[in-house]
Amino acid sequence: MVVLKVLAFLIAAAFMAGWVSCLVGFVRMWPSRRWPETTGTAVEIREQSRYRDGRRDILYSPVIEFWTHDGRRIHDLLGDWSTGLILKMGESAQVKYNPAQPEHFRLTGFRGSGAGLAVLMLLFAPAAAAFVLWWFVLRS
């Protein structure tokens, strides 16, 4: 019985950690909701190697070029490294940028809008609620 309680606690704690992680990501993304939007183009794809568990992975990140609404040309690395291509060379995407610091930008759409984080938070919510309920009420 004790083993089941410990296992339930560990599973609930993992879901709670996932929920908190999603919440932190959502809060970080929140200020960018009012940033101006424009079209950017992937003008270069950068690669970097990463070794994990004796295996080599290649990570990719596009260099995006776009023009701000006041005419400044921005040519910078997106900074989101992944094992798959987010954008292919020459492909365009909608970009939101900080007008005070246009080199701080992100892609829009489902992947960059925070909608994915919101869905994950909804999926993690029941387990997070169960963890809180267990921690404060049922633990004794």
Side-chain angles (χ1 to χ4, degrees):
M1 187 67 173
V2 171
V3 172
L4 286 176
K5 283 186 177 183
V6 169
L7 185 60
F9 169 77
L10 292 175
I11 291 170
F15 275 103
M16 186 66 180
W19 189 83
V20 169
S21 176
C22 289
L23 181 63
V24 168
F26 198 71
V27 166
R28 285 183 180 164
M29 189 175 287
W30 187 254
S32 66
R33 73 189 188 288
R34 297 189 191 269
W35 289 355
E37 190 171 320
T38 189
T39 302
T41 304
V43 295
E44 179 185 345
I45 305 296
R46 298 226 179 127
E47 297 179 7
Q48 72 178 16
S49 294
R50 174 182 68 184
Y51 292 90
R52 182 190 291 174
D53 300 328
R55 199 181 75 182
R56 178 179 177 235
D57 290 326
I58 298 176
L59 302 175
Y60 304 95
S61 183
V63 174
I64 307 291
E65 183 175 86
F66 63 92
W67 296 86
T68 63
H69 288 89
D70 61 359
R72 290 182 282 175
R73 177 181 164 263
I74 304 300
H75 179 97
D76 207 353
L77 186 68
L78 179 61
D80 292 339
W81 293 89
S82 67
T83 55
L85 289 174
I86 296 170
L87 290 174
K88 296 175 184 161
M89 181 74 144
E91 190 175 5
S92 295
Q94 290 303 108
V95 173
K96 282 192 166 215
Y97 64 91
N98 182 341
Q101 296 175 302
E103 60 279 357
H104 294 159
F105 62 92
R106 66 173 183 81
L107 297 180
T108 63
F110 183 80
R111 185 175 188 157
S113 68
L117 287 173
V119 168
L120 281 174
M121 286 179 70
L122 288 174
L123 292 175
F124 282 128
F131 176 76
V132 169
L133 179 67
W134 177 84
W135 185 261
F136 290 108
V137 179
L138 303 176
R139 169 167 89 130
S140 49

